[in-house]
Amino acid sequence: MHATAGSLALFVFPFVLLLCFLLYWAGARHAYLTRSVAAAGDPEAYDWHFFVPCRDEEAVVGTTVSRLRGDFPAGHVWVIDDDSDDATGAIVTAHAESDPYVHLVQRRRPHARTGKGAALNSAYDALDRFLPASTDRSRVIVCVLDADGRLAPDALPVVSGPSGFGDPDIGGVQVTVRMRNVDDRTPLPGHGRLRNALARLLVRVQDMEFTVSNTGMQLLRNRTGSVGLGGNGQFTRLAALDHIAATERRPWQRGALLEDYELGLHMILGGYQIRHIADTWVSQEGLPHLRRLLTQRTRWAQGNLQCVRYSSRVIASRHYRARGVLETLYTFVQPVAHLVSLAVGAVLLGLLLADEDSVEVLEQTAGIWPLPVGLAVLSIGPFVLWGPVYRRERAAGRSWLTGLLWGLALWLYAYHLFPVSARAFVRLLRGRTGWAKTRRNAEPVTAATAVAVEH
């Protein structure tokens, strides 16, 4: 009886997982295709402060500070130097000496290099000391940007509108992320044509992932009330950060590998709403190196596993609607689902290899070939169908066939989730929760240089 039940569970699990994926994809695609344009507001009604956490970012930080000051002259730029070993601090200091709107938040070991959340908290404390006591903190907006982040020039009017901070119940806004090097013909200078072609494709599918797939997911979350904040292009109302600090001791949680997503959880648990706005964007570098990508995504997967501890709070919260609870729990279990899928696949393969009649079984099942073909279509089709949507939005000059091929590449790219989930689980079991900093494309790499350094 137990063996039969176990075999049935092994058989049913992939179908349940596929059904959940299809429902989620359908909701995300519908939300993307039916989205409305966000009306602009008045950015002068708010005070803007940009937080830029940095560690060894001399290759990009000067350009980022200059662009922010040029595009948003009324905004203050707070660069957090997390005890860099390069010239990051000196570059920012030079800017600050001639511009009172540029601020350096200097951190030193042993208190530095303890995670991005800790770095952002130090900027929050510095901003708190900087602002007059009479400040209306509901009118102060903090924007977190990566050191290589480039914010669209129209971003502030868009996030100030009625879909954003024009609604007093909104505590946070996330904008769409793009890969700005998506059209770079030689992402790996000095390497051959084949490696550069593969690198271009890797950057392309990252751009697809963020601009259509992830954006569709976030627009679906607008409807479920469970939008997640990201680490780049994240806008938060200072009053909401104050509320989280009062209840959780700090806005960003120490040791969190997904400090941005956890901040969003705390914001919703505290009664604030979050919106994703797809009508403006922030750009960043897509990673042309597979190893760097896997390092980055392993950290994200491990951070996702850390968030499982919030399940009971989300379920019990009066600020989460039922569909928001379901969406959040579905997000939490993604790495676990990938791990279970790997295990189920390994068990089924083992049973097949151990069965002396496996060849006969395969011959018998060949007669029901429409079933695996149908499952393949249902598994691959959703990824492929994002291709034409992406082509229309981001590369209208390319052919429909190219869009479909990009969609097929997105499906193949999605398989990276399985090894990174397994690696994240192993790291979690070993108690390794360090923050691995992914190197910028502009940083030189030698044989003695690590791809990412964990502290």
Side-chain angles (χ1 to χ4, degrees), residues 48 91 340 378:
W48 302 92
I91 292 171
V340 175
L378 290 174

Side-chain angles (χ1 to χ4, degrees), residues 60 181 187 189 203 285-289 292 439-445:
V60 295
N181 56 334
V203 173
E285 292 180 327
L287 297 175
H289 300 272
R292 295 186 192 183
R439 291 188 174 274
R440 302 297 174 198
N441 298 335
E443 294 181 64
V445 179

Side-chain angles (χ1 to χ4, degrees), residues 36-84:
S36 57
V37 177
D42 179 14
E44 294 185 5
Y46 304 93
D47 295 327
W48 302 92
H49 295 265
F50 299 95
F51 286 5
V52 185
C54 292
R55 194 175 80 202
D56 301 329
E57 298 285 8
E58 66 177 6
V60 295
V61 68
T63 300
T64 299
V65 172
S66 296
R67 181 172 285 105
L68 284 172
R69 291 295 298 124
D71 291 344
F72 312 107
H76 288 260
V77 179
W78 299 79
V79 178
I80 310 103
D81 178 20
D82 205 21
D83 202 6
S84 297

Side-chain angles (χ1 to χ4, degrees), residues 298 301-302 305 339 420-430:
T298 297
Q302 188 175 354
L305 288 169
L339 288 171
V420 302
S421 295
R423 186 182 177 199
F425 185 69
V426 171
R427 284 174 53 83
L428 197 64
L429 291 178
R430 296 177 61 186

Side-chain angles (χ1 to χ4, degrees), residues 13-294:
F13 176 78
F15 292 93
V16 173
L17 203 61
L18 178 59
L19 177 61
C20 291
F21 164 71
L22 290 173
L23 290 173
Y24 198 86
W25 168 81
R29 183 177 174 85
H30 181 263
Y32 186 93
L33 296 177
T34 60
R35 68 191 188 278
S36 57
V37 177
D42 179 14
E44 294 185 5
Y46 304 93
D47 295 327
W48 302 92
H49 295 265
F50 299 95
F51 286 5
V52 185
C54 292
R55 194 175 80 202
D56 301 329
E57 298 285 8
E58 66 177 6
V60 295
V61 68
T63 300
T64 299
V65 172
S66 296
R67 181 172 285 105
L68 284 172
R69 291 295 298 124
D71 291 344
F72 312 107
H76 288 260
V77 179
W78 299 79
V79 178
I80 310 103
D81 178 20
D82 205 21
D83 202 6
S84 297
D85 291 325
D86 64 4
T88 296
I91 292 171
V92 178
T93 297
H95 280 273
E97 287 175 349
S98 60
D99 187 345
Y101 281 72
V102 176
H103 312 269
L104 174 65
V105 181
Q106 186 69 67
R107 308 186 75 226
R108 296 297 185 190
R109 281 171 276 196
H111 304 293
R113 300 198 173 207
T114 55
K116 185 177 177 182
L120 291 170
N121 285 330
S122 66
Y124 168 80
D125 292 338
L127 176 59
D128 183 54
R129 294 189 297 268
F130 173 81
L131 293 174
S134 59
T135 299
D136 180 357
R137 296 167 78 95
S138 68
R139 294 282 179 178
V140 177
I141 308 299
V142 172
C143 174
V144 176
L145 289 175
D146 283 352
D148 69 330
R150 297 182 186 176
L151 195 62
D154 69 344
L156 302 193
V158 175
V159 302
S160 300
S163 298
F165 295 108
D167 182 343
D169 293 328
I170 299 297
V173 172
Q174 178 64 45
V175 302
T176 292
V177 178
R178 295 179 177 179
M179 305 298 129
R180 68 170 169 271
N181 56 334
V182 70
D183 292 317
D184 187 353
R185 300 301 300 171
T186 55
L188 298 178
H191 294 278
R193 296 175 64 180
L194 178 60
R195 285 197 63 183
N196 271 285
L198 293 174
R200 286 198 303 271
L201 183 60
L202 185 59
V203 173
R204 177 70 66 179
V205 292
Q206 290 171 67
D207 194 47
M208 291 181 66
E209 175 188 26
F210 278 90
T211 59
V212 291
S213 179
N214 285 3
T215 296
M217 176 181 67
Q218 288 277 61
L219 292 172
L220 172 63
R221 289 171 170 175
N222 274 345
R223 302 180 181 188
T224 61
S226 54
V227 172
L229 291 173
N232 198 16
Q234 167 200 129
F235 292 82
T236 52
R237 199 186 296 270
L238 184 58
L241 297 180
D242 292 339
H243 179 81
I244 297 170
T247 57
E248 306 290 340
R249 296 188 298 174
R250 58 184 71 86
W252 288 274
Q253 298 309 294
R254 184 181 179 89
L257 294 176
L258 273 187
E259 80 295 324
D260 41 21
Y261 186 73
E262 287 197 23
L263 178 72
L265 292 175
H266 285 295
M267 194 165 287
I268 299 173
L269 290 169
Y272 287 92
Q273 298 177 24
I274 305 175
R275 288 288 182 271
H276 183 91
I277 296 180
D279 298 303
T280 190
W281 47 267
V282 64
S283 71
Q284 63 189 45
E285 292 180 327
L287 297 175
H289 300 272
L290 181 60
R291 188 179 175 191
R292 295 186 192 183
L293 177 75
L294 295 178

Side-chain angles (χ1 to χ4, degrees), residues 331-377:
T331 299
F332 285 175
V333 303
Q334 286 305 293
V336 178
H338 297 140
L339 288 171
V340 175
S341 297
L342 283 174
V344 169
V347 169
L348 291 176
L349 180 61
L351 292 175
L352 184 62
L353 294 175
D355 190 345
E356 296 179 357
D357 301 322
S358 58
V359 175
E360 182 180 346
V361 171
L362 289 175
E363 291 176 348
Q364 292 174 353
T365 56
I368 58 170
W369 61 266
L371 177 60
V373 170
L375 291 175
V377 170

